[in-house]
Each structure stands twice: as structure tokens, then as C-alpha cells.
mmCIF file of all heavy atoms in Angstrom:
data_model
loop_
_atom_site.group_PDB
_atom_site.id
_atom_site.type_symbol
_atom_site.label_atom_id
_atom_site.label_comp_id
_atom_site.label_asym_id
_atom_site.label_seq_id
_atom_site.Cartn_x
_atom_site.Cartn_y
_atom_site.Cartn_z
ATOM 1 N N VAL A 144 -0.088 -9.562 3.384
ATOM 2 C CA VAL A 144 1.277 -9.882 3.759
ATOM 3 C C VAL A 144 2.185 -8.807 3.169
ATOM 4 O O VAL A 144 2.111 -8.525 1.985
ATOM 5 C CB VAL A 144 1.685 -11.267 3.215
ATOM 6 C CG1 VAL A 144 3.120 -11.557 3.538
ATOM 7 C CG2 VAL A 144 0.781 -12.344 3.765
ATOM 8 N N VAL A 145 2.978 -8.205 3.989
ATOM 9 C CA VAL A 145 3.959 -7.239 3.529
ATOM 10 C C VAL A 145 5.308 -7.943 3.575
ATOM 11 O O VAL A 145 5.692 -8.502 4.596
ATOM 12 C CB VAL A 145 3.970 -5.974 4.416
ATOM 13 C CG1 VAL A 145 5.040 -4.997 3.952
ATOM 14 C CG2 VAL A 145 2.604 -5.310 4.413
ATOM 15 N N GLY A 146 6.001 -7.939 2.447
ATOM 16 C CA GLY A 146 7.272 -8.647 2.368
ATOM 17 C C GLY A 146 8.336 -7.833 1.670
ATOM 18 O O GLY A 146 8.102 -6.706 1.231
ATOM 19 N N ILE A 147 9.485 -8.427 1.556
ATOM 20 C CA ILE A 147 10.615 -7.771 0.911
ATOM 21 C C ILE A 147 10.485 -7.872 -0.602
ATOM 22 O O ILE A 147 9.766 -8.725 -1.121
ATOM 23 C CB ILE A 147 11.951 -8.388 1.372
ATOM 24 C CG1 ILE A 147 12.010 -9.878 1.016
ATOM 25 C CG2 ILE A 147 12.153 -8.179 2.864
ATOM 26 C CD1 ILE A 147 13.360 -10.535 1.276
ATOM 27 N N GLY A 148 11.201 -6.997 -1.288
ATOM 28 C CA GLY A 148 11.260 -7.077 -2.742
ATOM 29 C C GLY A 148 11.959 -8.368 -3.153
ATOM 30 O O GLY A 148 12.835 -8.863 -2.439
ATOM 31 N N ILE A 149 11.587 -8.913 -4.272
ATOM 32 C CA ILE A 149 12.208 -10.154 -4.738
ATOM 33 C C ILE A 149 12.918 -9.900 -6.067
ATOM 34 O O ILE A 149 12.624 -8.943 -6.775
ATOM 35 C CB ILE A 149 11.168 -11.294 -4.871
ATOM 36 C CG1 ILE A 149 9.995 -10.893 -5.759
ATOM 37 C CG2 ILE A 149 10.666 -11.708 -3.500
ATOM 38 C CD1 ILE A 149 8.984 -12.002 -5.990
ATOM 39 N N GLY A 150 13.862 -10.764 -6.372
ATOM 40 C CA GLY A 150 14.598 -10.645 -7.626
ATOM 41 C C GLY A 150 15.397 -9.359 -7.665
ATOM 42 O O GLY A 150 16.100 -9.017 -6.718
ATOM 43 N N ALA A 151 15.285 -8.624 -8.759
ATOM 44 C CA ALA A 151 16.040 -7.389 -8.955
ATOM 45 C C ALA A 151 15.664 -6.307 -7.941
ATOM 46 O O ALA A 151 16.406 -5.354 -7.753
ATOM 47 C CB ALA A 151 15.830 -6.863 -10.375
ATOM 48 N N LEU A 152 14.520 -6.448 -7.272
ATOM 49 C CA LEU A 152 14.077 -5.453 -6.296
ATOM 50 C C LEU A 152 14.453 -5.811 -4.862
ATOM 51 O O LEU A 152 14.088 -5.092 -3.929
ATOM 52 C CB LEU A 152 12.568 -5.253 -6.403
ATOM 53 C CG LEU A 152 12.086 -4.667 -7.728
ATOM 54 C CD1 LEU A 152 10.568 -4.596 -7.760
ATOM 55 C CD2 LEU A 152 12.692 -3.309 -7.985
ATOM 56 N N ASP A 153 15.198 -6.879 -4.662
ATOM 57 C CA ASP A 153 15.626 -7.287 -3.329
ATOM 58 C C ASP A 153 16.426 -6.160 -2.678
ATOM 59 O O ASP A 153 17.387 -5.653 -3.250
ATOM 60 C CB ASP A 153 16.474 -8.550 -3.406
ATOM 61 C CG ASP A 153 16.857 -9.094 -2.041
ATOM 62 O OD1 ASP A 153 16.080 -8.904 -1.092
ATOM 63 O OD2 ASP A 153 17.936 -9.710 -1.927
ATOM 64 N N GLY A 154 15.988 -5.718 -1.507
ATOM 65 C CA GLY A 154 16.660 -4.644 -0.794
ATOM 66 C C GLY A 154 16.305 -3.249 -1.274
ATOM 67 O O GLY A 154 16.772 -2.258 -0.724
ATOM 68 N N LYS A 155 15.462 -3.151 -2.309
ATOM 69 C CA LYS A 155 15.113 -1.854 -2.875
ATOM 70 C C LYS A 155 13.625 -1.547 -2.789
ATOM 71 O O LYS A 155 13.208 -0.430 -3.067
ATOM 72 C CB LYS A 155 15.516 -1.806 -4.357
ATOM 73 C CG LYS A 155 16.993 -1.982 -4.589
ATOM 74 C CD LYS A 155 17.287 -1.996 -6.068
ATOM 75 C CE LYS A 155 18.749 -2.293 -6.311
ATOM 76 N NZ LYS A 155 19.038 -2.399 -7.741
ATOM 77 N N ALA A 156 12.824 -2.540 -2.448
ATOM 78 C CA ALA A 156 11.377 -2.360 -2.473
ATOM 79 C C ALA A 156 10.718 -3.261 -1.443
ATOM 80 O O ALA A 156 11.362 -4.142 -0.870
ATOM 81 C CB ALA A 156 10.828 -2.686 -3.865
ATOM 82 N N MET A 157 9.444 -3.036 -1.219
ATOM 83 C CA MET A 157 8.633 -3.961 -0.434
ATOM 84 C C MET A 157 7.444 -4.338 -1.300
ATOM 85 O O MET A 157 7.129 -3.662 -2.280
ATOM 86 C CB MET A 157 8.185 -3.335 0.881
ATOM 87 C CG MET A 157 7.171 -2.238 0.742
ATOM 88 S SD MET A 157 6.489 -1.671 2.297
ATOM 89 C CE MET A 157 7.877 -0.822 2.996
ATOM 90 N N ARG A 158 6.822 -5.422 -0.947
ATOM 91 C CA ARG A 158 5.666 -5.850 -1.734
ATOM 92 C C ARG A 158 4.495 -6.127 -0.808
ATOM 93 O O ARG A 158 4.675 -6.484 0.354
ATOM 94 C CB ARG A 158 5.989 -7.067 -2.584
ATOM 95 C CG ARG A 158 6.404 -8.276 -1.813
ATOM 96 C CD ARG A 158 6.960 -9.373 -2.737
ATOM 97 N NE ARG A 158 7.549 -10.409 -1.936
ATOM 98 C CZ ARG A 158 6.907 -11.481 -1.479
ATOM 99 N NH1 ARG A 158 5.629 -11.649 -1.772
ATOM 100 N NH2 ARG A 158 7.513 -12.363 -0.738
ATOM 101 N N ILE A 159 3.322 -5.921 -1.333
ATOM 102 C CA ILE A 159 2.096 -6.224 -0.614
ATOM 103 C C ILE A 159 1.427 -7.353 -1.376
ATOM 104 O O ILE A 159 1.098 -7.200 -2.551
ATOM 105 C CB ILE A 159 1.159 -4.998 -0.536
ATOM 106 C CG1 ILE A 159 1.850 -3.843 0.165
ATOM 107 C CG2 ILE A 159 -0.142 -5.373 0.177
ATOM 108 C CD1 ILE A 159 1.073 -2.542 0.111
ATOM 109 N N ALA A 160 1.256 -8.471 -0.709
ATOM 110 C CA ALA A 160 0.626 -9.639 -1.337
ATOM 111 C C ALA A 160 -0.637 -9.985 -0.552
ATOM 112 O O ALA A 160 -0.833 -9.527 0.567
ATOM 113 C CB ALA A 160 1.597 -10.816 -1.330
ATOM 114 N N HIS A 161 -1.477 -10.777 -1.142
ATOM 115 C CA HIS A 161 -2.675 -11.210 -0.419
ATOM 116 C C HIS A 161 -2.730 -12.725 -0.392
ATOM 117 O O HIS A 161 -2.182 -13.402 -1.252
ATOM 118 C CB HIS A 161 -3.945 -10.628 -1.044
ATOM 119 C CG HIS A 161 -4.219 -11.136 -2.423
ATOM 120 N ND1 HIS A 161 -4.937 -12.280 -2.644
ATOM 121 C CD2 HIS A 161 -3.861 -10.671 -3.639
ATOM 122 C CE1 HIS A 161 -5.029 -12.491 -3.953
ATOM 123 N NE2 HIS A 161 -4.372 -11.534 -4.574
ATOM 124 N N MET A 162 -3.340 -13.214 0.657
ATOM 125 C CA MET A 162 -3.541 -14.650 0.804
ATOM 126 C C MET A 162 -5.050 -14.868 0.882
ATOM 127 O O MET A 162 -5.624 -14.957 1.952
ATOM 128 C CB MET A 162 -2.831 -15.170 2.048
ATOM 129 C CG MET A 162 -1.325 -14.978 1.977
ATOM 130 S SD MET A 162 -0.469 -15.530 3.443
ATOM 131 C CE MET A 162 -0.696 -17.299 3.316
ATOM 132 N N GLY A 163 -5.679 -14.890 -0.277
ATOM 133 C CA GLY A 163 -7.122 -15.023 -0.319
ATOM 134 C C GLY A 163 -7.766 -13.728 -0.769
ATOM 135 O O GLY A 163 -7.187 -12.949 -1.510
ATOM 136 N N TYR A 164 -8.954 -13.465 -0.261
ATOM 137 C CA TYR A 164 -9.748 -12.321 -0.686
ATOM 138 C C TYR A 164 -9.167 -11.020 -0.134
ATOM 139 O O TYR A 164 -8.769 -10.935 1.030
ATOM 140 C CB TYR A 164 -11.196 -12.487 -0.206
ATOM 141 C CG TYR A 164 -12.074 -11.339 -0.574
ATOM 142 C CD1 TYR A 164 -12.535 -11.181 -1.868
ATOM 143 C CD2 TYR A 164 -12.421 -10.394 0.365
ATOM 144 C CE1 TYR A 164 -13.338 -10.106 -2.225
ATOM 145 C CE2 TYR A 164 -13.229 -9.317 0.031
ATOM 146 C CZ TYR A 164 -13.679 -9.184 -1.262
ATOM 147 O OH TYR A 164 -14.461 -8.128 -1.587
ATOM 148 N N ALA A 165 -9.125 -9.994 -0.955
ATOM 149 C CA ALA A 165 -8.742 -8.646 -0.522
ATOM 150 C C ALA A 165 -9.625 -7.651 -1.266
ATOM 151 O O ALA A 165 -9.965 -7.864 -2.427
ATOM 152 C CB ALA A 165 -7.278 -8.374 -0.826
ATOM 153 N N ASN A 166 -10.030 -6.586 -0.584
ATOM 154 C CA ASN A 166 -10.847 -5.561 -1.225
ATOM 155 C C ASN A 166 -10.196 -4.193 -1.041
ATOM 156 O O ASN A 166 -9.151 -4.061 -0.391
ATOM 157 C CB ASN A 166 -12.280 -5.596 -0.687
ATOM 158 C CG ASN A 166 -12.350 -5.368 0.801
ATOM 159 O OD1 ASN A 166 -11.487 -4.726 1.400
ATOM 160 N ND2 ASN A 166 -13.397 -5.893 1.430
ATOM 161 N N ALA A 167 -10.811 -3.166 -1.596
ATOM 162 C CA ALA A 167 -10.237 -1.824 -1.568
ATOM 163 C C ALA A 167 -10.000 -1.314 -0.138
ATOM 164 O O ALA A 167 -8.909 -0.808 0.153
ATOM 165 C CB ALA A 167 -11.113 -0.856 -2.357
ATOM 166 N N PRO A 168 -10.960 -1.434 0.787
ATOM 167 C CA PRO A 168 -10.698 -0.946 2.145
ATOM 168 C C PRO A 168 -9.531 -1.669 2.827
ATOM 169 O O PRO A 168 -8.764 -1.057 3.574
ATOM 170 C CB PRO A 168 -12.014 -1.208 2.886
ATOM 171 C CG PRO A 168 -13.050 -1.177 1.814
ATOM 172 C CD PRO A 168 -12.376 -1.806 0.615
ATOM 173 N N MET A 169 -9.376 -2.948 2.561
ATOM 174 C CA MET A 169 -8.254 -3.692 3.142
ATOM 175 C C MET A 169 -6.927 -3.170 2.603
ATOM 176 O O MET A 169 -5.955 -2.993 3.356
ATOM 177 C CB MET A 169 -8.414 -5.186 2.863
ATOM 178 C CG MET A 169 -9.622 -5.802 3.536
ATOM 179 S SD MET A 169 -10.075 -7.401 2.845
ATOM 180 C CE MET A 169 -8.900 -8.462 3.631
ATOM 181 N N LEU A 170 -6.874 -2.902 1.316
ATOM 182 C CA LEU A 170 -5.663 -2.362 0.705
ATOM 183 C C LEU A 170 -5.361 -0.968 1.257
ATOM 184 O O LEU A 170 -4.214 -0.668 1.609
ATOM 185 C CB LEU A 170 -5.812 -2.304 -0.812
ATOM 186 C CG LEU A 170 -4.671 -1.634 -1.568
ATOM 187 C CD1 LEU A 170 -3.361 -2.381 -1.353
ATOM 188 C CD2 LEU A 170 -4.998 -1.541 -3.039
ATOM 189 N N LEU A 171 -6.376 -0.128 1.372
ATOM 190 C CA LEU A 171 -6.163 1.220 1.890
ATOM 191 C C LEU A 171 -5.693 1.195 3.340
ATOM 192 O O LEU A 171 -4.848 2.003 3.738
ATOM 193 C CB LEU A 171 -7.437 2.052 1.749
ATOM 194 C CG LEU A 171 -7.851 2.353 0.316
ATOM 195 C CD1 LEU A 171 -9.209 3.047 0.290
ATOM 196 C CD2 LEU A 171 -6.804 3.168 -0.404
ATOM 197 N N GLY A 172 -6.201 0.279 4.130
ATOM 198 C CA GLY A 172 -5.739 0.133 5.504
ATOM 199 C C GLY A 172 -4.270 -0.250 5.562
ATOM 200 O O GLY A 172 -3.492 0.311 6.339
ATOM 201 N N THR A 173 -3.878 -1.185 4.714
ATOM 202 C CA THR A 173 -2.481 -1.615 4.663
ATOM 203 C C THR A 173 -1.577 -0.468 4.235
ATOM 204 O O THR A 173 -0.535 -0.218 4.858
ATOM 205 C CB THR A 173 -2.323 -2.813 3.700
ATOM 206 O OG1 THR A 173 -3.162 -3.878 4.156
ATOM 207 C CG2 THR A 173 -0.896 -3.290 3.641
ATOM 208 N N LEU A 174 -1.958 0.230 3.179
ATOM 209 C CA LEU A 174 -1.149 1.365 2.715
ATOM 210 C C LEU A 174 -1.038 2.450 3.781
ATOM 211 O O LEU A 174 0.039 3.033 3.974
ATOM 212 C CB LEU A 174 -1.750 1.951 1.435
ATOM 213 C CG LEU A 174 -1.674 1.078 0.195
ATOM 214 C CD1 LEU A 174 -2.452 1.730 -0.946
ATOM 215 C CD2 LEU A 174 -0.242 0.813 -0.195
ATOM 216 N N SER A 175 -2.134 2.721 4.479
ATOM 217 C CA SER A 175 -2.124 3.754 5.524
ATOM 218 C C SER A 175 -1.170 3.396 6.652
ATOM 219 O O SER A 175 -0.409 4.240 7.131
ATOM 220 C CB SER A 175 -3.531 3.940 6.104
ATOM 221 O OG SER A 175 -4.409 4.404 5.116
ATOM 222 N N VAL A 176 -1.197 2.149 7.081
ATOM 223 C CA VAL A 176 -0.322 1.711 8.165
ATOM 224 C C VAL A 176 1.144 1.757 7.736
ATOM 225 O O VAL A 176 2.013 2.167 8.508
ATOM 226 C CB VAL A 176 -0.723 0.299 8.643
ATOM 227 C CG1 VAL A 176 0.329 -0.300 9.552
ATOM 228 C CG2 VAL A 176 -2.061 0.354 9.349
ATOM 229 N N ILE A 177 1.424 1.379 6.503
ATOM 230 C CA ILE A 177 2.797 1.458 6.007
ATOM 231 C C ILE A 177 3.267 2.903 5.971
ATOM 232 O O ILE A 177 4.361 3.233 6.451
ATOM 233 C CB ILE A 177 2.914 0.802 4.613
ATOM 234 C CG1 ILE A 177 2.749 -0.709 4.735
ATOM 235 C CG2 ILE A 177 4.255 1.157 3.961
ATOM 236 C CD1 ILE A 177 2.622 -1.423 3.407
ATOM 237 N N GLU A 178 2.431 3.792 5.444
ATOM 238 C CA GLU A 178 2.809 5.199 5.365
ATOM 239 C C GLU A 178 2.993 5.798 6.772
ATOM 240 O O GLU A 178 3.941 6.544 7.018
ATOM 241 C CB GLU A 178 1.767 5.981 4.564
ATOM 242 C CG GLU A 178 2.262 7.311 4.086
ATOM 243 C CD GLU A 178 1.397 7.924 2.983
ATOM 244 O OE1 GLU A 178 0.451 7.291 2.490
ATOM 245 O OE2 GLU A 178 1.705 9.069 2.623
ATOM 246 N N MET A 179 2.130 5.446 7.700
ATOM 247 C CA MET A 179 2.246 5.925 9.066
ATOM 248 C C MET A 179 3.531 5.411 9.709
ATOM 249 O O MET A 179 4.248 6.157 10.388
ATOM 250 C CB MET A 179 1.042 5.471 9.891
ATOM 251 C CG MET A 179 1.076 5.931 11.335
ATOM 252 S SD MET A 179 -0.314 5.299 12.313
ATOM 253 C CE MET A 179 0.084 3.562 12.397
ATOM 254 N N GLY A 180 3.839 4.148 9.501
ATOM 255 C CA GLY A 180 5.053 3.563 10.062
ATOM 256 C C GLY A 180 6.312 4.217 9.517
ATOM 257 O O GLY A 180 7.251 4.498 10.272
ATOM 258 N N LEU A 181 6.350 4.465 8.215
ATOM 259 C CA LEU A 181 7.506 5.136 7.623
ATOM 260 C C LEU A 181 7.702 6.518 8.240
ATOM 261 O O LEU A 181 8.819 6.922 8.568
ATOM 262 C CB LEU A 181 7.336 5.250 6.105
ATOM 263 C CG LEU A 181 7.392 3.941 5.312
ATOM 264 C CD1 LEU A 181 6.988 4.180 3.867
ATOM 265 C CD2 LEU A 181 8.768 3.307 5.397
ATOM 266 N N LYS A 182 6.592 7.229 8.407
ATOM 267 C CA LYS A 182 6.665 8.577 9.000
ATOM 268 C C LYS A 182 7.097 8.498 10.461
ATOM 269 O O LYS A 182 7.963 9.261 10.911
ATOM 270 C CB LYS A 182 5.317 9.280 8.876
ATOM 271 C CG LYS A 182 5.347 10.722 9.361
ATOM 272 C CD LYS A 182 4.060 11.438 9.046
ATOM 273 C CE LYS A 182 4.159 11.921 7.608
ATOM 274 N NZ LYS A 182 3.162 12.919 7.269
ATOM 275 N N ALA A 183 6.528 7.570 11.238
ATOM 276 C CA ALA A 183 6.855 7.438 12.659
ATOM 277 C C ALA A 183 8.329 7.080 12.862
ATOM 278 O O ALA A 183 8.938 7.493 13.853
ATOM 279 C CB ALA A 183 5.961 6.381 13.299
ATOM 280 N N LEU A 184 8.886 6.319 11.919
ATOM 281 C CA LEU A 184 10.288 5.910 12.025
ATOM 282 C C LEU A 184 11.234 6.874 11.320
ATOM 283 O O LEU A 184 12.431 6.597 11.211
ATOM 284 C CB LEU A 184 10.449 4.497 11.448
ATOM 285 C CG LEU A 184 9.725 3.397 12.237
ATOM 286 C CD1 LEU A 184 9.743 2.086 11.463
ATOM 287 C CD2 LEU A 184 10.343 3.235 13.615
ATOM 288 N N SER A 185 10.696 7.981 10.840
ATOM 289 C CA SER A 185 11.490 8.994 10.126
ATOM 290 C C SER A 185 12.256 8.402 8.944
ATOM 291 O O SER A 185 13.393 8.768 8.665
ATOM 292 C CB SER A 185 12.464 9.700 11.085
ATOM 293 O OG SER A 185 11.764 10.364 12.106
ATOM 294 N N ILE A 186 11.616 7.476 8.252
ATOM 295 C CA ILE A 186 12.189 6.873 7.045
ATOM 296 C C ILE A 186 11.778 7.739 5.866
ATOM 297 O O ILE A 186 10.583 7.942 5.627
ATOM 298 C CB ILE A 186 11.713 5.421 6.860
ATOM 299 C CG1 ILE A 186 12.212 4.568 8.027
ATOM 300 C CG2 ILE A 186 12.180 4.861 5.520
ATOM 301 C CD1 ILE A 186 11.658 3.161 8.046
ATOM 302 N N PRO A 187 12.739 8.287 5.140
ATOM 303 C CA PRO A 187 12.398 9.160 4.009
ATOM 304 C C PRO A 187 11.524 8.424 2.981
ATOM 305 O O PRO A 187 11.820 7.285 2.607
ATOM 306 C CB PRO A 187 13.750 9.521 3.399
ATOM 307 C CG PRO A 187 14.759 9.225 4.448
ATOM 308 C CD PRO A 187 14.184 8.115 5.277
ATOM 309 N N HIS A 188 10.463 9.088 2.588
ATOM 310 C CA HIS A 188 9.556 8.534 1.574
ATOM 311 C C HIS A 188 8.729 9.679 1.004
ATOM 312 O O HIS A 188 8.636 10.749 1.601
ATOM 313 C CB HIS A 188 8.647 7.455 2.181
ATOM 314 C CG HIS A 188 7.655 7.994 3.166
ATOM 315 N ND1 HIS A 188 8.012 8.426 4.428
ATOM 316 C CD2 HIS A 188 6.331 8.198 3.068
ATOM 317 C CE1 HIS A 188 6.937 8.857 5.062
ATOM 318 N NE2 HIS A 188 5.905 8.739 4.260
ATOM 319 N N GLY A 189 8.142 9.462 -0.104
ATOM 320 C CA GLY A 189 7.254 10.462 -0.687
ATOM 321 C C GLY A 189 5.903 10.407 -0.007
ATOM 322 O O GLY A 189 5.338 9.339 0.196
ATOM 323 N N ASP A 190 5.389 11.543 0.383
ATOM 324 C CA ASP A 190 4.054 11.604 0.981
ATOM 325 C C ASP A 190 2.987 11.453 -0.100
ATOM 326 O O ASP A 190 3.235 11.704 -1.275
ATOM 327 C CB ASP A 190 3.848 12.950 1.682
ATOM 328 C CG ASP A 190 4.617 13.048 2.989
ATOM 329 O OD1 ASP A 190 4.913 12.001 3.580
ATOM 330 O OD2 ASP A 190 4.901 14.182 3.407
ATOM 331 N N GLY A 191 1.815 11.046 0.321
ATOM 332 C CA GLY A 191 0.669 11.050 -0.576
ATOM 333 C C GLY A 191 0.359 9.734 -1.255
ATOM 334 O O GLY A 191 -0.541 9.669 -2.089
ATOM 335 N N GLY A 192 1.060 8.679 -0.921
ATOM 336 C CA GLY A 192 0.796 7.382 -1.560
ATOM 337 C C GLY A 192 -0.600 6.867 -1.263
ATOM 338 O O GLY A 192 -1.302 6.375 -2.144
ATOM 339 N N THR A 193 -1.012 6.986 -0.014
ATOM 340 C CA THR A 193 -2.348 6.518 0.359
ATOM 341 C C THR A 193 -3.416 7.361 -0.328
ATOM 342 O O THR A 193 -4.407 6.825 -0.843
ATOM 343 C CB THR A 193 -2.527 6.543 1.884
ATOM 344 O OG1 THR A 193 -1.521 5.712 2.480
ATOM 345 C CG2 THR A 193 -3.894 6.035 2.292
ATOM 346 N N GLN A 194 -3.223 8.672 -0.359
ATOM 347 C CA GLN A 194 -4.201 9.538 -1.033
ATOM 348 C C GLN A 194 -4.274 9.227 -2.526
ATOM 349 O O GLN A 194 -5.359 9.228 -3.110
ATOM 350 C CB GLN A 194 -3.884 11.013 -0.814
ATOM 351 C CG GLN A 194 -4.961 11.941 -1.363
ATOM 352 C CD GLN A 194 -6.314 11.715 -0.703
ATOM 353 O OE1 GLN A 194 -6.418 11.754 0.521
ATOM 354 N NE2 GLN A 194 -7.340 11.472 -1.500
ATOM 355 N N ALA A 195 -3.154 8.940 -3.145
ATOM 356 C CA ALA A 195 -3.152 8.579 -4.565
ATOM 357 C C ALA A 195 -3.946 7.295 -4.790
ATOM 358 O O ALA A 195 -4.695 7.185 -5.758
ATOM 359 C CB ALA A 195 -1.722 8.431 -5.073
ATOM 360 N N ALA A 196 -3.808 6.335 -3.875
ATOM 361 C CA ALA A 196 -4.566 5.084 -3.990
ATOM 362 C C ALA A 196 -6.057 5.335 -3.800
ATOM 363 O O ALA A 196 -6.891 4.762 -4.510
ATOM 364 C CB ALA A 196 -4.057 4.066 -2.973
ATOM 365 N N ILE A 197 -6.413 6.207 -2.854
ATOM 366 C CA ILE A 197 -7.825 6.556 -2.638
ATOM 367 C C ILE A 197 -8.411 7.176 -3.897
ATOM 368 O O ILE A 197 -9.499 6.791 -4.351
ATOM 369 C CB ILE A 197 -7.969 7.519 -1.443
ATOM 370 C CG1 ILE A 197 -7.658 6.804 -0.142
ATOM 371 C CG2 ILE A 197 -9.368 8.145 -1.404
ATOM 372 C CD1 ILE A 197 -7.492 7.729 1.054
ATOM 373 N N ASP A 198 -7.700 8.124 -4.479
ATOM 374 C CA ASP A 198 -8.183 8.789 -5.694
ATOM 375 C C ASP A 198 -8.357 7.790 -6.829
ATOM 376 O O ASP A 198 -9.360 7.816 -7.549
ATOM 377 C CB ASP A 198 -7.221 9.899 -6.109
ATOM 378 C CG ASP A 198 -7.158 11.033 -5.100
ATOM 379 O OD1 ASP A 198 -8.071 11.141 -4.238
ATOM 380 O OD2 ASP A 198 -6.171 11.801 -5.153
ATOM 381 N N TYR A 199 -7.370 6.898 -6.999
ATOM 382 C CA TYR A 199 -7.428 5.900 -8.071
ATOM 383 C C TYR A 199 -8.620 4.966 -7.871
ATOM 384 O O TYR A 199 -9.419 4.749 -8.780
ATOM 385 C CB TYR A 199 -6.121 5.091 -8.098
ATOM 386 C CG TYR A 199 -6.119 4.012 -9.129
ATOM 387 C CD1 TYR A 199 -5.720 4.273 -10.434
ATOM 388 C CD2 TYR A 199 -6.522 2.720 -8.820
ATOM 389 C CE1 TYR A 199 -5.719 3.286 -11.401
ATOM 390 C CE2 TYR A 199 -6.539 1.721 -9.770
ATOM 391 C CZ TYR A 199 -6.136 2.005 -11.059
ATOM 392 O OH TYR A 199 -6.153 1.015 -11.997
ATOM 393 N N LEU A 200 -8.752 4.424 -6.667
ATOM 394 C CA LEU A 200 -9.831 3.468 -6.415
ATOM 395 C C LEU A 200 -11.206 4.125 -6.459
ATOM 396 O O LEU A 200 -12.164 3.521 -6.949
ATOM 397 C CB LEU A 200 -9.605 2.786 -5.070
ATOM 398 C CG LEU A 200 -8.406 1.830 -5.030
ATOM 399 C CD1 LEU A 200 -8.103 1.414 -3.598
ATOM 400 C CD2 LEU A 200 -8.645 0.613 -5.918
ATOM 401 N N ALA A 201 -11.308 5.353 -5.964
ATOM 402 C CA ALA A 201 -12.605 6.036 -5.969
ATOM 403 C C ALA A 201 -13.141 6.216 -7.375
ATOM 404 O O ALA A 201 -14.351 6.202 -7.605
ATOM 405 C CB ALA A 201 -12.476 7.392 -5.279
ATOM 406 N N ALA A 202 -12.243 6.353 -8.345
ATOM 407 C CA ALA A 202 -12.667 6.528 -9.723
ATOM 408 C C ALA A 202 -12.995 5.201 -10.412
ATOM 409 O O ALA A 202 -13.597 5.200 -11.476
ATOM 410 C CB ALA A 202 -11.562 7.245 -10.510
ATOM 411 N N ARG A 203 -12.621 4.069 -9.780
ATOM 412 C CA ARG A 203 -12.755 2.796 -10.479
ATOM 413 C C ARG A 203 -13.556 1.721 -9.757
ATOM 414 O O ARG A 203 -13.978 0.752 -10.369
ATOM 415 C CB ARG A 203 -11.357 2.250 -10.777
ATOM 416 C CG ARG A 203 -10.668 3.079 -11.846
ATOM 417 C CD ARG A 203 -9.184 2.792 -11.915
ATOM 418 N NE ARG A 203 -8.556 3.597 -12.950
ATOM 419 C CZ ARG A 203 -8.192 4.857 -12.791
ATOM 420 N NH1 ARG A 203 -8.392 5.473 -11.653
ATOM 421 N NH2 ARG A 203 -7.616 5.523 -13.770
ATOM 422 N N VAL A 204 -13.765 1.849 -8.460
ATOM 423 C CA VAL A 204 -14.484 0.819 -7.704
ATOM 424 C C VAL A 204 -15.982 1.045 -7.855
ATOM 425 O O VAL A 204 -16.475 2.159 -7.685
ATOM 426 C CB VAL A 204 -14.062 0.846 -6.222
ATOM 427 C CG1 VAL A 204 -14.954 -0.067 -5.387
ATOM 428 C CG2 VAL A 204 -12.610 0.441 -6.081
ATOM 429 N N ASP A 205 -16.697 -0.010 -8.156
ATOM 430 C CA ASP A 205 -18.153 0.059 -8.301
ATOM 431 C C ASP A 205 -18.791 0.244 -6.948
ATOM 432 O O ASP A 205 -18.666 -0.612 -6.064
ATOM 433 C CB ASP A 205 -18.654 -1.223 -8.968
ATOM 434 C CG ASP A 205 -20.162 -1.216 -9.173
ATOM 435 O OD1 ASP A 205 -20.785 -0.136 -9.102
ATOM 436 O OD2 ASP A 205 -20.704 -2.298 -9.425
ATOM 437 N N ALA A 206 -19.456 1.356 -6.736
ATOM 438 C CA ALA A 206 -20.091 1.656 -5.457
ATOM 439 C C ALA A 206 -21.512 1.119 -5.383
ATOM 440 O O ALA A 206 -22.169 1.258 -4.361
ATOM 441 C CB ALA A 206 -20.087 3.164 -5.224
ATOM 442 N N GLY A 207 -21.985 0.546 -6.452
ATOM 443 C CA GLY A 207 -23.379 0.148 -6.480
ATOM 444 C C GLY A 207 -23.599 -1.258 -6.211
ATOM 445 O O GLY A 207 -24.508 -1.824 -5.827
#
């Protein structure tokens, strides 16, 4: 679920929540779609968020 920021972040952020089980590929898919949407809509944002998540998870997710 992608939603609006709450509390002090209302109008300044978005949040990604899960309703049940979520794994690394599901999170990466969500981040990729958000980054693609921001780019398609010409919404200013920093590039590389999805790649940063890939790098972080690749170093920490048990592949075995």
C-alpha cells in the first residue's frame, strides 16, 4: 500500500506499508514503479533510490 505521509510528514512524504507478507522482490517492484511514475510525470526527485535499495538488500538478504 502506498499512502500519504502521516503526522509531521503529511504533505511532505509518502509511505510504503504492507498488509501481510512482503519480501525483497515485492519491495523492489514497488520502489521501481514509484521511481518510474515520478520520472514519467516529470516530478523532481533524486535518481537512484531503487538501485540503492538493490545494493542494500543484496548485501543483507540470505540467498541460501
Side-chain angles (χ1 to χ4, degrees):
V144 177
V145 178
I147 60 173
I149 55 177
L152 296 176
D153 185 30
K155 299 177 185 176
M157 70 172 71
R158 61 191 170 90
I159 301 172
H161 66 88
M162 298 178 69
Y164 179 76
N166 59 27
M169 295 163 79
L170 174 62
L171 293 174
T173 301
L174 292 174
S175 297
V176 168
I177 290 171
E178 197 164 355
M179 180 183 69
L181 292 171
K182 185 172 277 195
L184 294 170
S185 299
I186 297 173
H188 68 287
D190 286 336
T193 301
Q194 187 61 54
I197 290 168
D198 295 343
Y199 178 87
L200 291 169
R203 290 166 180 82
V204 171
D205 181 17

